[in-house]
Amino acid sequence: MAKTTIVQKNRLPDFLPHGWKKEVALTLGIHVNTVTNALKSGKGSTYERIKQVAIIKWGGEIVHR
């Protein structure tokens, strides 16, 4: 019996694509300025929601060396 390994996207890439804030804002139903303000604060529930959406859309795998 083979072991199944599920690889999850769990970190943001080094560079996000052009227009990512607008796309995240549309996905969450919030204003683009709200995304900018949440990123500046670096904490809070909105910040966590923004991180989760960005990880799902553009996240990468953590490579263990």
Side-chain angles (χ1 to χ4, degrees), residues 2-62:
K3 181 178 178 184
T4 303
T5 304
I6 299 172
V7 178
Q8 295 181 352
K9 298 175 181 179
N10 48 12
R11 73 177 188 92
L12 286 173
D14 295 333
F15 297 100
L16 291 167
H18 179 75
W20 74 272
K21 287 182 190 176
K22 185 171 187 174
E23 193 169 338
V24 168
L26 288 172
T27 302
L28 292 175
I30 58 177
H31 197 273
V32 179
N33 290 348
T34 306
V35 174
T36 302
N37 292 338
L39 291 174
K40 285 181 183 177
S41 72
K43 59 185 176 184
S45 62
T46 305
Y47 176 74
E48 294 301 324
R49 289 174 42 211
I50 291 167
K51 269 191 359 185
Q52 288 303 318
V53 169
I55 287 171
I56 290 168
K57 288 187 176 237
W58 302 287
E61 304 169 7
I62 292 179

